[in-house]
Coordinates of all heavy atoms in Angstrom, one line a residue:
F3 N 13.9 -9.4 2.3 CA 13.0 -8.8 1.4 C 13.0 -7.3 1.7 O 12.8 -6.9 2.8 CB 11.6 -9.4 1.5 CG 10.6 -8.8 0.6 CD1 10.6 -9.1 -0.8 CD2 9.6 -7.9 1.0 CE1 9.7 -8.6 -1.7 CE2 8.7 -7.4 0.1 CZ 8.8 -7.8 -1.2
R4 N 13.3 -6.5 0.7 CA 13.2 -5.0 1.0 C 11.8 -4.5 0.9 O 11.0 -5.2 0.2 CB 14.1 -4.3 -0.1 CG 15.5 -4.7 0.1 CD 16.4 -4.0 -1.0 NE 17.7 -4.6 -1.0 CZ 18.8 -3.9 -0.7 NH1 18.7 -2.6 -0.4 NH2 19.9 -4.5 -0.7
S5 N 11.5 -3.4 1.5 CA 10.2 -2.9 1.4 C 9.8 -2.7 -0.1 O 10.6 -2.3 -0.9 CB 10.1 -1.5 2.1 OG 10.3 -1.7 3.5
P6 N 8.5 -3.0 -0.4 CA 8.1 -2.9 -1.8 C 8.1 -1.4 -2.2 O 7.9 -0.5 -1.4 CB 6.7 -3.4 -1.8 CG 6.2 -3.3 -0.4 CD 7.5 -3.4 0.5
K7 N 8.3 -1.2 -3.5 CA 8.2 0.1 -4.1 C 6.7 0.5 -4.2 O 5.9 -0.4 -4.5 CB 8.9 0.2 -5.5 CG 10.4 -0.1 -5.3 CD 11.1 0.1 -6.6 CE 12.5 -0.2 -6.4 NZ 13.4 0.1 -7.5
V8 N 6.4 1.8 -4.0 CA 5.1 2.2 -4.0 C 4.9 3.5 -4.9 O 5.7 4.4 -4.8 CB 4.6 2.6 -2.5 CG1 3.2 3.0 -2.5 CG2 4.8 1.4 -1.6
E20 N -0.1 2.1 -5.2 CA 0.2 0.9 -6.0 C 1.5 0.3 -5.4 O 2.6 0.8 -5.6 CB 0.3 1.2 -7.5 CG -1.0 1.5 -8.1 CD -0.8 1.8 -9.6 OE1 -0.2 0.9 -10.3 OE2 -1.3 2.8 -10.1
F21 N 1.4 -0.9 -4.7 CA 2.5 -1.5 -4.1 C 3.0 -2.7 -5.1 O 2.2 -3.5 -5.5 CB 2.1 -2.2 -2.8 CG 1.9 -1.2 -1.7 CD1 0.7 -0.5 -1.6 CD2 2.8 -1.0 -0.7 CE1 0.4 0.4 -0.6 CE2 2.6 0.0 0.3 CZ 1.4 0.6 0.3
A22 N 4.3 -2.7 -5.4 CA 4.8 -3.8 -6.2 C 5.2 -4.9 -5.2 O 6.2 -4.8 -4.5 CB 6.0 -3.3 -7.0
V23 N 4.4 -6.0 -5.2 CA 4.6 -7.1 -4.3 C 4.6 -8.4 -5.0 O 3.9 -9.3 -4.7 CB 3.6 -7.1 -3.1 CG1 3.9 -6.0 -2.1 CG2 2.2 -6.9 -3.6
P24 N 5.5 -8.6 -6.0 CA 5.4 -9.9 -6.8 C 5.9 -11.0 -5.9 O 6.8 -10.9 -5.0 CB 6.4 -9.6 -7.9 CG 7.4 -8.6 -7.4 CD 6.5 -7.7 -6.5
G25 N 5.3 -12.2 -6.1 CA 5.6 -13.4 -5.4 C 5.0 -13.4 -4.0 O 5.3 -14.4 -3.3
I26 N 4.2 -12.5 -3.6 CA 3.6 -12.5 -2.3 C 2.1 -12.8 -2.5 O 1.4 -12.2 -3.3 CB 3.7 -11.2 -1.6 CG1 5.2 -10.9 -1.3 CG2 3.0 -11.2 -0.2 CD1 5.4 -9.6 -0.6
D27 N 1.6 -13.9 -1.8 CA 0.2 -14.2 -1.9 C -0.6 -13.2 -1.2 O -0.2 -12.6 -0.2 CB 0.0 -15.6 -1.2 CG -1.4 -16.1 -1.4 OD1 -2.3 -15.7 -0.6 OD2 -1.6 -16.9 -2.3
K28 N -1.8 -12.9 -1.7 CA -2.6 -11.8 -1.1 C -3.0 -12.2 0.3 O -3.3 -11.3 1.1 CB -3.9 -11.5 -2.0 CG -4.9 -12.5 -2.0 CD -6.1 -12.0 -2.8 CE -7.3 -13.0 -2.8 NZ -8.4 -12.5 -3.5
L31 N -0.7 -10.6 3.0 CA -0.7 -9.1 3.0 C -1.8 -8.6 4.1 O -2.8 -9.3 4.2 CB -1.0 -8.5 1.7 CG 0.0 -8.7 0.6 CD1 -0.6 -8.3 -0.8 CD2 1.3 -8.0 0.9
V42 N 0.7 -1.0 5.4 CA 0.6 -2.3 4.6 C 1.8 -3.1 5.1 O 3.0 -2.6 5.1 CB 0.7 -2.0 3.1 CG1 0.7 -3.3 2.3 CG2 -0.5 -1.1 2.7
S43 N 1.5 -4.3 5.4 CA 2.6 -5.3 5.8 C 2.4 -6.6 5.2 O 1.3 -6.9 4.7 CB 2.6 -5.4 7.4 OG 1.4 -5.8 7.9
G44 N 3.4 -7.4 5.2 CA 3.3 -8.7 4.5 C 4.6 -9.5 4.7 O 5.5 -9.1 5.3
E45 N 4.5 -10.7 4.1 CA 5.7 -11.5 4.1 C 5.8 -12.3 2.8 O 4.8 -12.9 2.4 CB 5.6 -12.5 5.3 CG 6.7 -13.4 5.4 CD 6.7 -14.3 6.6 OE1 5.6 -14.4 7.3 OE2 7.7 -15.0 6.9
R46 N 7.0 -12.4 2.3 CA 7.3 -13.3 1.2 C 8.0 -14.4 1.8 O 9.1 -14.3 2.3 CB 8.1 -12.6 0.1 CG 8.4 -13.5 -1.1 CD 9.0 -12.8 -2.3 NE 9.1 -13.7 -3.4 CZ 9.9 -13.6 -4.3 NH1 10.8 -12.6 -4.4 NH2 10.0 -14.5 -5.3
F65 N 7.8 -7.3 5.8 CA 8.0 -5.9 5.5 C 6.8 -5.2 6.1 O 5.8 -5.8 6.4 CB 8.1 -5.6 4.0 CG 6.8 -5.7 3.3 CD1 5.9 -4.6 3.2 CD2 6.4 -6.9 2.7 CE1 4.7 -4.8 2.5 CE2 5.2 -7.1 2.1 CZ 4.4 -6.0 2.0
E83 N -7.4 -4.0 -4.1 CA -7.4 -5.1 -5.1 C -6.0 -5.6 -5.3 O -5.0 -4.8 -5.2 CB -7.9 -4.6 -6.4 CG -9.4 -4.2 -6.4 CD -9.9 -3.7 -7.7 OE1 -9.3 -4.0 -8.8 OE2 -10.9 -2.9 -7.7
Y84 N -5.9 -6.9 -5.6 CA -4.5 -7.5 -5.9 C -4.6 -8.2 -7.2 O -5.5 -9.0 -7.5 CB -4.2 -8.5 -4.8 CG -2.9 -9.1 -4.9 CD1 -1.7 -8.4 -4.5 CD2 -2.7 -10.4 -5.4 CE1 -0.5 -9.0 -4.6 CE2 -1.5 -11.0 -5.5 CZ -0.3 -10.2 -5.1 OH 0.9 -10.8 -5.2
N85 N -3.7 -7.8 -8.1 CA -3.7 -8.4 -9.4 C -2.2 -8.4 -10.0 O -1.6 -7.4 -10.0 CB -4.6 -7.5 -10.4 CG -4.8 -8.2 -11.7 OD1 -4.6 -9.4 -11.9 ND2 -5.3 -7.4 -12.7
N86 N -1.8 -9.6 -10.4 CA -0.5 -9.7 -11.0 C 0.7 -9.1 -10.2 O 1.5 -8.5 -10.8 CB -0.5 -9.2 -12.5 CG -1.4 -10.0 -13.4 OD1 -1.5 -11.2 -13.2 ND2 -2.0 -9.3 -14.3
G87 N 0.7 -9.3 -8.9 CA 1.8 -8.8 -8.1 C 1.7 -7.4 -7.7 O 2.6 -6.8 -7.1
I88 N 0.6 -6.7 -8.0 CA 0.4 -5.3 -7.7 C -0.8 -5.2 -6.7 O -1.9 -5.7 -7.0 CB 0.1 -4.4 -8.9 CG1 1.3 -4.5 -9.9 CG2 -0.1 -2.9 -8.5 CD1 2.6 -3.9 -9.4
L89 N -0.6 -4.6 -5.5 CA -1.6 -4.3 -4.6 C -2.0 -2.8 -4.8 O -1.2 -1.9 -4.7 CB -1.1 -4.5 -3.2 CG -2.1 -4.1 -2.1 CD1 -3.4 -5.0 -2.1 CD2 -1.4 -4.2 -0.7
F90 N -3.3 -2.6 -5.2 CA -3.8 -1.3 -5.5 C -4.8 -0.9 -4.3 O -5.7 -1.7 -4.0 CB -4.6 -1.3 -6.8 CG -5.1 0.1 -7.1 CD1 -4.3 1.1 -7.6 CD2 -6.5 0.3 -6.9 CE1 -4.9 2.3 -7.9 CE2 -7.0 1.6 -7.2 CZ -6.2 2.6 -7.7

Side-chain angles (χ1 to χ4, degrees):
F3 183 74
R4 297 178 190 244
S5 292
K7 295 184 179 188
V8 181
E20 290 183 46
F21 290 79
V23 287
I26 299 178
D27 188 276
K28 73 176 184 177
L31 294 168
V42 176
S43 56
E45 180 178 12
R46 184 170 184 205
F65 74 89
E83 294 180 22
Y84 183 77
N85 190 17
N86 293 328
I88 302 294
L89 175 62
F90 180 78

